[in-house]
Amino acid sequence: MAEAADETRGRSSGTNKSGIRRRDFLAGVGAAALGSALPFFPRAAIAAGSGESAPAGAEIARIGIYPPIGICRVGGSDQWFLAPEVPGLPPQPEGGFKDGDQAIKKQAQRFRLYAFDAENRVIGEITAEEAEIEWEVHVANTKAAWYGFTNPLDNGALAPGIPGRKRNDYIVPNTERERMLVIDGGATRIAGAGTNPRGDDPAYAMSDRFFDLEEVGLGHLRTDDNGRLLVVPPDGRSDSPNGSPITNFADNDGWHDDWCDGPVSARVRLPDGRSLEAEHAWVACAGPNFAPEIPPITTLYDTIEDLNLREGWREAPALPLSFREHIYPIFHRLALMEWVSAAAHLRQGWLDIGDFSDPDYLARLAVPEEDNAAFRRSVFEKFRNPRAQGEDAFREEQHKLPYMLGDGINYSGSPLFWFQFPERQYGFLEAWAAGDFVDDLHEPEAEAIVTLEDIPIARQPEALTRAALEPCSGGAFHPGVELTYYLRHREMYAIAHGQSREPFRIARGKRESLIQDIGRLLTPEAAFAGGNGAPPPIGPQMPGDLTRWMGLPWQCDVFSCQQVALQSDFPTAVWWPALIPVDVLQEEFYEQIMRDDLDAEQRQRFFQHRVAWTRGVAGIGYHAEASYTDGIVSMIQLWERMGFVVKRPGPQDAQRPTGLPSELFVETGRGSMERRTDWTASDGQTL
């Protein structure tokens, strides 16, 4: 009922009304089409050991908030949709990802409560029908008061960390830095069901002033009809109240944006009179996902789960592995990269490898028998080995999968110059090459999963955990798309400090101030040991601590890191194409592909042609001398006009070109890249 109410307001993820579309994603059109439908199967629904139900009548011993890490995404529109809640199901907002004014809709994160017994078995979800719930969220933006980013500080001798100085270091002392630079949304509380339905009650808004000159919104809170918490993000706006210039991809003094993060708490009063504090969660605000149906090759879930396995906080999957759950997602993500990167689109020729989207090729990859071992090994050898760290690794591992840049791009010649798989993912590929897996590719599901409620209650907490993190990039961290490299370190998590029995929960800090002054420079040593009397920043966190490491303002880093031209004729290596596309099939070309009156050869040419996603940005209008800096300055204003890459049906007519897939991923909703004084942005400002 809560979701139906959200849909009436035009704000939800479309879970109910778009069920047919999602069922198509899950079930395809029958067993023969299962290969093309597989990417959209929610893996959490079939994951082994992801939860155990408590017996009837079990007493509640603890309550947890899920997902443990939630992700909001900014947008200039007043409309919003829900973040994914089922792994493998991308959001499907009714009417698309932009509103009628071309402003981007916000992605709101919904948080739920689950009760557990003394043996950590799931009893069920706690809603406003079962208990009195008071939520508290404390978010902040502390980017301007933090240190500058040059490269990750945890890669040791392979890519030594470069110290960063304080942003806005001319503002002293720390009391003044906190007043001028910290945007503190404060502890905001909300209770009840259906509270703040229009989102306009100032009691639930989060904001603060920057430079003591400008009010900056950090989003607002609501509850749905069942009393679950909804965190709605801000607009994605960046500004400099004193007119400071943009000079850098990550560190610009005098600027703010409205990304924020902080803990989510809940006090639950049960019918038996007990009052329990739920295990906390964390919410972080990031930029839009411009290719929401294309997962990153390594997700943030993969990166954190890799740490969980190293620390023994979770058990590794038993051998033999499931091809469908552990191996297939890697091949599928590689296949989809061809829609957002020209290097991947041309991969078969450059890397002498097959088409991962071809059902016949995929079927061969799924054969575990020994007589297929040579083929599997030949494919496995095309993947970059993260354990290769010798002097020849940069050259020998360069043109391998995925052809993406890595953490250590500051050091040409380092193996970390290239993207590296986490050990967990590479281990899956290694077991696959050895034949230590089962061919369960075409086993039909017992039912199609459409909503979270279709998943057994014991597996819902795990499903929510995965669904929030799997759309996020798990590397390369320079600094990254949503969050960055600190998440691969044990010190960041509550379980390492005795604050929780579960992984994925961020440790809560106890500093007196949101300012964390560890000295003049942030060095690799200070990042992990602290300094100047302050605790280490890679450790328990305070509001604003996660997003402070990201680029300031956010648009400069996210949109400048498209690709890096190398002294090579090989296709250009890319950063994060699954979230920030590089090369796309534009909508105008798609329309030509779909014409049944056009010659098949011409339609094929349109299909093969890709264009730059950021075309027209750096050289605006008549500015023929536009530079790199001009381009990132432009994106501060033009980011909402960028297109979203979404799935569209391919041609079905008898005259269609041979070899075209039944579904295409097409750039849609792209606005004009011209800036003219007679056009206005969604916030009413003249551009």
Side-chain angles (χ1 to χ4, degrees):
M1 293 179 63
E3 300 219 7
D6 281 341
E7 294 232 343
T8 301
R9 295 192 295 270
R11 298 291 193 267
S12 86
S13 62
T15 302
N16 293 336
K17 293 177 72 174
S18 62
I20 294 177
R21 294 197 303 272
R22 288 183 171 179
R23 198 172 297 275
D24 287 342
F25 289 157
L26 291 164
V29 292
L34 193 57
S36 62
L38 270 171
F40 300 98
F41 271 95
R43 294 191 300 275
I46 58 175
S50 58
E52 183 181 355
S53 294
E59 182 179 358
I60 295 175
R62 71 175 184 92
I63 298 173
I65 303 174
Y66 293 87
I69 303 174
I71 303 294
C72 295
R73 297 187 184 273
V74 298
S77 172
D78 289 336
Q79 298 183 37
W80 55 270
F81 59 91
L82 288 175
E85 293 188 322
V86 176
L89 287 181
Q92 293 288 307
E94 189 171 354
F97 290 89
K98 292 186 177 183
D99 67 19
D101 296 325
Q102 293 297 296
I104 293 176
K105 298 175 184 177
K106 298 173 171 64
Q107 175 178 295
Q109 181 65 64
R110 176 160 58 185
F111 289 93
R112 301 174 184 238
L113 295 165
Y114 284 84
F116 297 79
D117 69 3
E119 297 184 35
N120 208 36
R121 295 173 296 191
V122 181
I123 296 173
E125 184 182 3
I126 301 292
T127 68
E129 293 184 4
E130 292 85 25
E132 297 177 10
I133 304 168
E134 182 182 54
W135 298 92
E136 180 179 288
V137 178
H138 186 174
V139 296
N141 175 306
T142 62
K143 285 186 176 184
W146 189 232
Y147 294 80
F149 177 88
T150 303
N151 69 335
L153 301 177
D154 64 343
N155 284 318
L158 290 177
I162 301 173
R165 66 171 182 83
K166 294 177 182 178
R167 293 167 175 161
N168 298 288
D169 57 2
Y170 59 91
I171 297 179
V172 292
N174 283 336
T175 53
E176 186 69 0
R177 289 178 66 80
E178 185 163 26
R179 184 181 73 86
M180 294 283 285
L181 303 176
V182 171
I183 306 169
D184 184 0
T188 306
R189 296 178 179 86
I190 192 169
T195 305
N196 194 24
R198 295 171 54 88
D200 56 0
D201 190 331
Y204 307 111
M206 302 174 290
S207 69
D208 194 13
R209 295 178 70 82
F210 178 75
F211 264 35
D212 204 25
L213 294 172
E214 183 175 336
E215 193 74 17
V216 180
L218 300 179
H220 68 270
L221 306 182
R222 310 184 188 203
T223 61
D224 72 7
D225 291 348
N226 291 296
R228 303 174 184 123
L229 174 67
L230 297 170
V231 182
V232 182
D235 296 337
R237 185 167 172 264
S238 303
D239 193 19
S240 173
N242 63 358
S244 296
I246 292 291
T247 60
N248 185 272
F249 82 99
D251 307 305
N252 291 283
D253 288 350
W255 279 82
H256 75 79
D257 60 26
D258 56 8
W259 283 24
C260 56
D261 70 273
V264 177
S265 307
R267 171 66 63 174
V268 183
R269 186 174 180 84
L270 299 171
D272 61 10
R274 288 188 298 159
S275 183
L276 297 180
E277 187 75 24
E279 289 199 18
H280 70 279
W282 212 272
V283 65
C285 181
N289 181 352
F290 287 96
E293 295 168 289
I294 299 178
I297 182 65
T298 292
T299 72
L300 205 50
Y301 179 87
D302 293 322
T303 296
I304 300 175
E305 184 71 341
D306 189 67
L307 169 68
N308 293 335
L309 297 184
R310 292 200 312 269
E311 295 294 329
W313 296 338
R314 304 249 287 190
E315 292 185 5
L319 296 174
L321 298 176
S322 159
F323 182 86
R324 180 193 191 99
E325 181 182 350
H326 302 118
I327 311 302
Y328 173 76
I330 300 174
F331 295 141
H332 165 62
R333 295 169 189 173
L334 283 171
L336 291 183
M337 278 185 65
E338 70 176 78
W339 298 104
V340 288
S341 164
H345 182 53
L346 302 172
R347 179 172 51 218
Q348 288 179 253
W350 287 111
L351 297 184
D352 192 23
I353 199 167
D355 181 0
F356 291 117
S357 63
D358 181 352
D360 293 335
Y361 192 72
L362 181 62
R364 190 177 179 191
L365 293 169
V367 176
E369 278 71 31
E370 180 61 28
D371 58 6
N372 196 43
F375 168 71
R376 293 195 308 272
R377 175 60 60 175
S378 70
V379 175
F380 174 69
E381 290 173 352
K382 300 291 173 56
F383 285 86
R384 188 172 299 109
N385 182 357
R387 302 167 194 154
Q389 299 182 358
E391 293 183 359
D392 296 329
F394 171 83
R395 176 180 50 82
E396 293 177 350
E397 301 294 322
Q398 175 177 355
H399 295 156
K400 291 193 175 182
L401 296 172
Y403 191 52
M404 294 171 58
L405 300 164
D407 290 2
I409 194 170
N410 299 81
Y411 297 95
S412 182
S414 168
L416 301 189
F417 188 92
W418 306 111
F419 179 92
Q420 305 291 327
F421 278 114
E423 179 63 29
R424 170 180 175 267
Q425 270 189 309
Y426 192 74
F428 286 167
L429 289 169
E430 200 167 38
W432 165 77
D436 209 350
F437 70 98
V438 294
D439 178 7
D440 54 357
L441 179 62
H442 294 299
E443 289 185 3
E445 292 297 301
E447 60 180 339
I449 304 296
V450 178
T451 70
L452 183 69
E453 287 69 25
D454 293 328
I455 297 175
I457 193 72
R459 295 179 176 179
Q460 289 181 16
E462 169 73 3
L464 289 166
T465 301
R466 296 183 69 158
L469 296 174
E470 285 189 340
C472 302
S473 176
F477 291 130
H478 200 275
V481 185
E482 295 95 356
L483 300 171
T484 193
Y485 66 93
Y486 44 65
L487 289 175
R488 58 193 177 200
H489 292 282
R490 70 184 310 273
E491 297 84 358
M492 294 289 294
Y493 296 94
I495 190 172
H497 301 273
Q499 297 181 3
S500 172
R501 69 175 69 181
E502 293 183 314
F504 291 102
R505 297 197 186 279
I506 300 296
R508 295 191 67 165
K510 298 179 180 180
R511 301 194 312 266
E512 293 183 358
S513 170
L514 298 187
I515 291 283
Q516 190 171 13
D517 183 358
I518 57 173
R520 295 290 181 187
L521 293 175
L522 173 60
T523 64
E525 294 76 20
F528 290 93
N532 198 35
I538 297 182
Q541 302 289 284
M542 298 281 285
D545 281 4
L546 291 187
T547 49
R548 64 184 175 176
W549 301 73
M550 310 308 290
L552 176 64
W554 69 271
Q555 295 97 333
C556 292
D557 176 54
V558 166
F559 293 106
S560 68
C561 291
Q562 281 282 291
Q563 52 191 355
V564 175
L566 306 173
Q567 296 298 319
S568 170
D569 289 334
F570 200 83
T572 304
V574 296
W575 281 102
W576 314 295
L579 294 108
I580 310 297
V582 179
D583 309 287
V584 296
L585 176 64
Q586 67 185 102
E587 193 164 22
E588 292 81 2
F589 287 5
Y590 170 72
E591 292 171 355
Q592 300 302 312
I593 295 168
M594 298 300 291
R595 286 177 54 186
D596 58 8
D597 63 331
L598 192 63
D599 178 82
E601 181 180 350
Q602 293 297 319
R603 295 166 75 182
Q604 181 68 247
R605 290 182 182 181
F606 280 109
F607 168 71
Q608 294 295 344
H609 194 67
R610 299 291 188 266
V611 297
W613 182 68
T614 55
R615 61 196 182 278
V617 173
I620 299 296
Y622 293 103
H623 299 288
E625 299 300 320
S627 67
Y628 164 83
T629 303
D630 294 321
I632 58 178
V633 169
S634 296
M635 291 308 299
I636 294 173
Q637 294 182 321
L638 300 179
W639 63 277
E640 286 200 275
R641 302 189 197 174
M642 304 305 294
F644 281 76
V645 176
V646 298
K647 190 169 64 173
R648 291 283 186 264
Q652 301 297 322
D653 60 281
Q655 291 76 35
R656 67 185 183 277
T658 59
L660 260 65
S662 60
E663 294 172 337
L664 313 178
F665 287 81
V666 182
E667 177 204 47
T668 64
R670 186 178 191 268
S672 172
M673 294 300 133
E674 290 287 345
R675 290 188 297 177
R676 292 172 47 185
T677 57
D678 57 340
W679 290 347
T680 57
S682 59
D683 60 2
Q685 292 188 343
T686 299
L687 299 184

